[in-house]
């Protein structure tokens, strides 16, 4: 694919129309903030993924009284402008880009259909726009159900007596482990926590323990030590890239390298709406604003955590496809190379 030359550091416009002039970078309105809408959705709905939050924010934009477009070109321009504003406003734009690209592709397809018969304006256009908005809301609700479909599939990889290694707060992984426990399977989990002295009953660890699943919490430095005790690695992802690699919490790449060295399979659980047309060549190619390597001289203080977060986003890294055994999604169990095929189905 020609898109293999793209990198995350140079994201394309989300829609097929060129972005408006820089003077319109504020979206033309002071009463609606796409970034505030996006962050409010994430805080109000903890189970909402970043791509779905981005789509929901753009749906809110089209529903806003001050922004109701009256033509196809106005709609595409409005979405293009705010998609660019949103991706530029976050430290990690890749997950947001997955949502804005997917929503943009759908909107372009729907709006171009009536334009072929020269009926893209007036009352008929208003009806089409309402349908776009309503279908978008339905898509977001249905996409939320993908997690349970993935959990039902992933629990088939879990057997009695197994020990699994995981990290992060993946809702897909948590749902899969809970589904396996409800099935009556007996297994153990080793959870990698970057702050092993922190409260253990928050998030996934507490949820699993409350379901009587034994969980051992270790720090990143103990991952290699624990490999002899595990059967497989099961992790989530913020984004699934065009080459089948993933972007996930910092340390995922390290876990995958170590697991591969010992012949342990690595399964990634992720919804298909996280698939994104980005093809990085390495860690430095992600285009994510984060400070992991913070070099200091003798006369400089450390001034905080080297894993400094940007706008409350956790640091991430890129795990290449050759370290991933399979991707478990709601559309099936895929090899990493099959991701590009799924993106082709969406885009072409």
């Amino acid at each position: 694919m020609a898109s293999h030359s793209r990198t995350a550091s140079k994201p394309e416009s989300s829609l097929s129309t060129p972005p408006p002039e820089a003077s319109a970078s504020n979206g033309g309105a002071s009463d609606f903030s796409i970034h505030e809408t996006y962050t409010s959705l994430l805080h109000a709905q903890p189970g909402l993924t970043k791509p779905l939050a981005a789509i929901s924010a753009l749906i809110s934009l089209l529903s806003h009284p001050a922004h109701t477009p009256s033509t196809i070109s106005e709609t595409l321009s409005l979405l293009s402008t705010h998609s660019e504003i949103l991706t530029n406003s976050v430290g990690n734009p890749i997950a947001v880009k997955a949502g804005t690209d997917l929503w943009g592709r759908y909107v372009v397809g729907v709006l171009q259909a009536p334009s072929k018969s020269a009926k893209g304006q007036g009352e008929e256009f208003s009806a089409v726009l309402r349908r776009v908005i309503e279908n978008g809301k339905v898509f977001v609700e249905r996409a939320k159900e993908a997690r349970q479909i993935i959990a039902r599939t992933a629990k088939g990889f879990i057997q009695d007596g197994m020990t699994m290694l995981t990290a992060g707060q993946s809702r897909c992984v948590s749902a899969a482990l809970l589904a396996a426990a409800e099935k009556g399977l007996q297994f153990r989990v080793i959870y990698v926590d970057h702050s092993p002295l922190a409260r253990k009953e928050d998030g996934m660890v507490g949820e699993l323990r409350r379901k009587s699943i034994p969980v051992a919490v270790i720090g990143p430095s103990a991952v290699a030590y624990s490999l002899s005790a595990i059967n497989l690695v099961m992790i989530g992802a913020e984004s699934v890239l065009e080459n089948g690699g993933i972007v996930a919490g910092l340390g995922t790449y390290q876990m995958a390298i170590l697991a591969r060295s010992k012949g342990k399979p690595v399964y990634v659980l992720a919804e298909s709406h996280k698939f994104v047309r980005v093809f990085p060549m390495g860690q430095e190619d992600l285009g994510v604003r984060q400070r992991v390597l913070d070099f200091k001289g003798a006369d400089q203080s450390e001034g905080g955590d080297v894993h400094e977060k940007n706008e409350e986003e956790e640091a991430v890294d890129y795990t290449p496809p050759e370290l991933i055994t399979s991707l478990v999604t709601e559309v099936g169990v895929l090899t990493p190379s099959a991701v590009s095929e799924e993106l082709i189905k969406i885009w072409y």
Side-chain angles (χ1 to χ4, degrees), residues 178 181 185-188 205-215:
L178 292 174
L185 295 175
Q186 302 293 318
F187 57 90
R188 302 181 303 178
V205 172
E207 191 173 23
L208 296 178
R209 285 175 172 169
R210 284 191 288 274
K211 294 295 183 179
S212 300
I213 302 171
V215 181

Side-chain angles (χ1 to χ4, degrees), residues 155 157-164 177-189 211-214 231:
K155 71 180 180 182
F157 294 93
I158 303 172
Q159 299 177 13
D160 265 323
M162 274 190 168
T163 299
M164 281 148 292
L177 296 176
L178 292 174
E182 290 173 1
K183 188 181 176 181
L185 295 175
Q186 302 293 318
F187 57 90
R188 302 181 303 178
V189 175
K211 294 295 183 179
S212 300
I213 302 171
N231 300 99

Side-chain angles (χ1 to χ4, degrees), residues 241 243 245-248 253 280-283 286 316-322:
L241 309 183
N243 63 351
I246 64 168
V247 173
Y253 179 38
M281 297 296 107
Q283 304 297 332
L286 288 178
V316 297
D317 59 26
Y318 161 63
T319 302
E322 60 268 22

Side-chain angles (χ1 to χ4, degrees), residues 93-115:
I94 302 175
V96 171
K97 177 177 165 59
T100 58
D101 280 6
L102 183 61
W103 175 242
R105 182 70 185 90
Y106 168 72
V107 172
V108 168
V110 172
L111 295 186
Q112 282 181 342
S115 66

Side-chain angles (χ1 to χ4, degrees), residues 7-69:
T7 68
S9 58
K10 296 181 180 180
E12 296 181 342
S13 174
S14 297
L15 304 180
S16 60
T17 56
E21 297 297 324
S23 61
S25 63
N26 63 0
S30 59
D31 55 344
F32 182 89
S33 168
I34 190 71
H35 176 69
E36 289 181 6
T37 303
Y38 167 77
T39 53
S40 295
L41 285 164
L42 288 176
H43 289 145
Q45 304 179 51
L48 196 64
T49 64
K50 291 180 180 179
L52 291 183
I55 292 173
S56 297
L58 291 173
I59 291 172
S60 298
L61 170 69
L62 293 180
S63 306
H64 196 279
H67 289 284
T68 305

